[in-house]
Amino acid sequence: MEFLAALKQKAALVDAALDKYLPTSDDYPGLIHEVMRYSVMAGGKRLRPVLTLAAAEAVGGKPELVIPAACAMELIHTYSLVHDDLPAMDNDDYRRGKLTSHKVYGEAMAVLAGDALLTLAFQLLADAGPGQVPPERLIRVVAEVAAGAGTRGLIGGQVVDTLAAGAAMDDATLEYIHRHKTGALYRVAVRSGAILAGTGARELASLTQYAEQLGLAFQIVDDILDVVGDEGKIGKPVGSDEKNSKLTYPSLYGLAAARARAKEAGDLALASLDGLGAGADFLRDMVAFVLDRDF
Amino acid sequence: MEFLAALKQKAALVDAALDKYLPTSDDYPGLIHEVMRYSVMAGGKRLRPVLTLAAAEAVGGKPELVIPAACAMELIHTYSLVHDDLPAMDNDDYRRGKLTSHKVYGEAMAVLAGDALLTLAFQLLADAGPGQVPPERLIRVVAEVAAGAGTRGLIGGQVVDTLAAGAAMDDATLEYIHRHKTGALYRVAVRSGAILAGTGARELASLTQYAEQLGLAFQIVDDILDVVGDEGKIGKPVGSDEKNSKLTYPSLYGLAAARARAKEAGDLALASLDGLGAGADFLRDMVAFVLDRDF
């Protein structure tokens, strides 16, 4: 199957499952479920959950078995955006082309909806259908996801990013932010799919390397699009990083060097899949997709 | 052992473990770990984690094996307080006699520290030492805790409490708030200890009933103390519920009826332990402790 069609199919699987797992506004208390759905259904690219499905495939597993875990990745990603957008943090009014959660529902509900998305993510990780996945794999993934989403992962990146805004720039700090704020969840999304599918240590090491480089490439391209992108496509105002005095690859190295660094990360991602067979072709195609995207 | 000495011993076990599990300000990024510790170490009563240890004992299990899960209960409780105190929510300046997290570290760090405490809780639940507790029990507890902390539990109670502030009072709403905002975590704390220790269905049902009634008694006494308590002992201004137009038992039924309702819940809690042996004596003594406390 052609890559874009396969991507669309996987994202549709994730969307259908998210719709099934998220309570609706008919479930009491209805408002919080409406707020959770508002942000999750605002239409992200679903790259993290798709990577979980693709990593399971790459090691010969059944993607269906990792759908709850894949959805958990999207819920964690969404929770981090909802809290990140709060007035006390980045104070963003728009995300994915729509008003942010706190602009529509107020700050209290945005805080609680973020908390609820994170909590639901762990509920999904604990539930892979009875007897479908051995419990020792499930519990290992809970531990990995919690570590990747915590202060040595996603939250750590967010903390350093918040503290660095407006401060003098430094390449070690930028690297730390990217590796943690974006990289940690890419890493965990890929590893979770592979672990649940029953990977060996060698494949897992290759996939981990792949995920780290892909996440880095993704984040550099994100930074570049914030400078040169099309507002209608990226769904937020161009130049918002500059407005917030955010540390970025283009601001630190210039556009040309940032592009070269993204390309290099993509090449390393591809090289790390050398030991894997045709099952990893989707992951290979993902590299060009992430580098060439304009949204 | 006399009850207060046993309580102190269990709380000390929990405190030592929390100190071990929480990263320090020497671990990068140090600030977030300082903020997490500030709230956790502000000196709560540790009743929830103590209940986890005591529930394991009540069914003949080793309390040591449930220490990570016990600590997870305290981290979830603390995260909910940190977010609850935010300006967008209850806007409280003091908690446990100390300035609240956002007053000391700012709102961004308080939001992130709450997120980090919730995340670390799930990491602890996944880690009970290698081979000590069967993984199927661990994963069952992750699912239970996530459900109890989510929108049908703790967060649901918080949402309804937030929406009800200032609105007309109604006893079904008050009951919902108490059963969810406080009750859900008491329930999960007790059940987790019992499940990890390998309880049977009958014991688990009794302990669940116990936890629900104890949580209710605790919350009613909390409401009463907010009216008649000693500020120095309860660690926050007396009358803060009234200030926030919070729905409470005394405001709805009057003090005498609220006291009677707390006593009734305590009696039901005791009765539900009838089928359990001397291992449950600590849980029995806990009922009088919760009813008679003045802090």
Side-chain angles (χ1 to χ4, degrees):
Chain A
M1 199 187 310
E2 193 240 334
F3 175 75
L4 284 179
L7 176 63
K8 213 168 157 179
Q9 193 188 59
K10 285 183 167 62
L13 266 179
V14 169
D15 280 333
L18 285 169
D19 187 45
K20 188 180 77 181
Y21 293 134
L22 282 164
T24 73
S25 55
D26 289 339
D27 302 305
Y28 190 81
L31 180 60
I32 188 72
H33 300 133
E34 183 183 329
V35 185
M36 291 164 78
R37 279 180 172 262
Y38 176 80
S39 295
V40 175
M41 297 308 187
K45 295 176 281 293
R46 312 299 191 210
L47 290 188
R48 292 158 190 81
V50 163
L51 284 170
T52 303
L53 302 180
E57 260 176 8
V59 300
K62 290 186 197 158
E64 309 87 82
L65 293 185
V66 306
I67 285 180
C71 290
M73 303 306 148
E74 189 67 12
L75 296 185
I76 292 174
H77 174 53
T78 307
Y79 120 77
S80 79
L81 299 180
V82 170
H83 281 186
D84 196 14
D85 287 336
L86 287 168
M89 312 268 270
D90 281 358
N91 194 21
D92 279 319
D93 291 353
Y94 288 92
R95 164 75 68 181
R96 294 171 177 171
K98 293 176 69 178
L99 283 170
T100 45
S101 183
H102 65 92
K103 293 299 286 182
V104 179
Y105 297 103
E107 277 184 62
M109 285 304 132
V111 170
L112 290 166
D115 295 345
L117 291 168
L118 176 58
T119 307
L120 181 58
F122 283 103
Q123 200 173 347
L124 294 184
L125 289 174
D127 157 42
Q132 299 280 296
V133 177
E136 54 272 25
R137 287 187 202 163
L138 293 175
I139 205 72
R140 181 174 169 197
V141 166
V142 169
E144 290 242 350
V145 172
T151 60
R152 275 111 170 198
L154 177 63
I155 293 175
Q158 185 62 45
V159 167
V160 175
D161 194 22
T162 302
L163 298 174
M169 301 207 175
D170 149 339
D171 57 351
T173 305
L174 176 63
E175 184 90 4
Y176 180 91
I177 294 170
H178 281 183
R179 279 199 191 281
H180 291 77
K181 198 173 160 177
T182 313
L185 208 46
Y186 268 82
R187 192 173 182 277
V188 150
V190 167
R191 285 177 62 90
S192 297
I195 292 168
L196 291 172
T199 185
R202 198 162 178 172
E203 282 174 328
L204 187 58
S206 301
L207 287 167
T208 304
Q209 168 89 344
Y210 165 83
E212 289 173 353
Q213 295 301 326
L214 186 76
L216 187 60
F218 178 85
Q219 185 58 54
I220 298 172
V221 172
D222 225 45
D223 283 0
I224 293 171
L225 288 172
D226 191 74
V227 181
V228 303
D230 174 334
E231 277 191 24
K233 286 184 181 166
I234 64 176
K236 60 178 181 181
V238 164
S240 66
D241 288 341
E242 203 186 337
K243 183 198 82 183
N244 292 323
S245 311
K246 288 261 167 176
L247 215 58
T248 69
Y249 269 85
S251 67
L252 200 57
Y253 302 111
L255 268 177
R259 284 199 175 104
R261 186 73 193 79
K263 173 76 170 56
E264 186 198 350
D267 289 344
L268 287 169
L270 279 179
S272 40
L273 297 179
D274 281 351
L276 281 91
D281 279 350
F282 182 90
L283 293 177
R284 292 186 180 94
D285 292 343
M286 180 69 98
V287 174
F289 176 76
V290 159
L291 286 175
D292 298 340
R293 72 200 167 93
D294 61 356
F295 62 93
Chain B
M1 200 187 306
E2 193 241 334
F3 175 75
L4 284 179
L7 176 63
K8 213 168 157 179
Q9 193 187 58
K10 285 183 167 62
L13 266 178
V14 169
D15 280 333
L18 285 169
D19 187 45
K20 188 181 76 180
Y21 294 135
L22 283 164
T24 73
S25 56
D26 289 339
D27 301 305
Y28 190 79
L31 180 60
I32 188 72
H33 300 133
E34 182 183 330
V35 185
M36 291 164 78
R37 280 181 170 263
Y38 176 80
S39 295
V40 175
M41 296 310 187
K45 295 177 281 294
R46 313 296 192 213
L47 291 186
R48 292 158 190 80
V50 164
L51 283 170
T52 304
L53 301 180
E57 260 177 6
V59 301
K62 289 187 197 156
E64 308 87 81
L65 293 186
V66 306
I67 285 180
C71 290
M73 304 306 149
E74 189 66 12
L75 296 185
I76 292 175
H77 174 53
T78 307
Y79 119 77
S80 79
L81 300 180
V82 171
H83 282 186
D84 196 13
D85 287 336
L86 287 168
M89 313 268 269
D90 281 359
N91 195 21
D92 279 319
D93 291 354
Y94 288 91
R95 166 76 67 184
R96 296 172 176 171
K98 293 176 69 177
L99 283 171
T100 45
S101 182
H102 65 92
K103 293 297 287 183
V104 180
Y105 296 103
E107 279 184 61
M109 285 303 133
V111 170
L112 290 167
D115 295 345
L117 291 168
L118 176 59
T119 307
L120 181 58
F122 284 103
Q123 200 174 346
L124 294 184
L125 289 175
D127 157 41
Q132 299 279 297
V133 176
E136 54 272 24
R137 288 188 201 162
L138 293 176
I139 204 73
R140 183 175 168 198
V141 166
V142 170
E144 290 242 351
V145 172
T151 59
R152 274 110 172 198
L154 177 64
I155 293 175
Q158 185 61 44
V159 167
V160 175
D161 194 22
T162 302
L163 298 174
M169 301 207 175
D170 150 337
D171 57 350
T173 305
L174 176 63
E175 184 90 5
Y176 180 91
I177 293 169
H178 280 183
R179 280 198 191 282
H180 291 76
K181 198 173 160 177
T182 314
L185 209 47
Y186 269 82
R187 193 173 181 277
V188 151
V190 167
R191 285 176 62 90
S192 297
I195 292 168
L196 291 172
T199 185
R202 199 163 178 171
E203 282 174 327
L204 187 59
S206 302
L207 287 168
T208 304
Q209 169 89 346
Y210 165 83
E212 289 173 353
Q213 295 301 327
L214 186 77
L216 187 59
F218 178 86
Q219 185 59 54
I220 299 173
V221 171
D222 225 45
D223 283 0
I224 293 172
L225 289 172
D226 191 75
V227 182
V228 303
D230 174 334
E231 276 190 24
K233 286 183 180 166
I234 64 177
K236 61 179 180 180
V238 164
S240 67
D241 288 341
E242 203 186 338
K243 183 199 81 184
N244 292 323
S245 311
K246 288 262 168 178
L247 215 58
T248 69
Y249 269 86
S251 66
L252 199 56
Y253 302 112
L255 268 177
R259 285 197 174 105
R261 188 71 194 80
K263 174 76 170 58
E264 188 197 348
D267 289 344
L268 287 169
L270 279 178
S272 40
L273 298 179
D274 280 352
L276 282 92
D281 279 350
F282 182 89
L283 292 178
R284 292 187 181 94
D285 292 342
M286 180 70 98
V287 175
F289 175 77
V290 160
L291 286 174
D292 298 340
R293 73 201 168 93
D294 62 355
F295 62 94

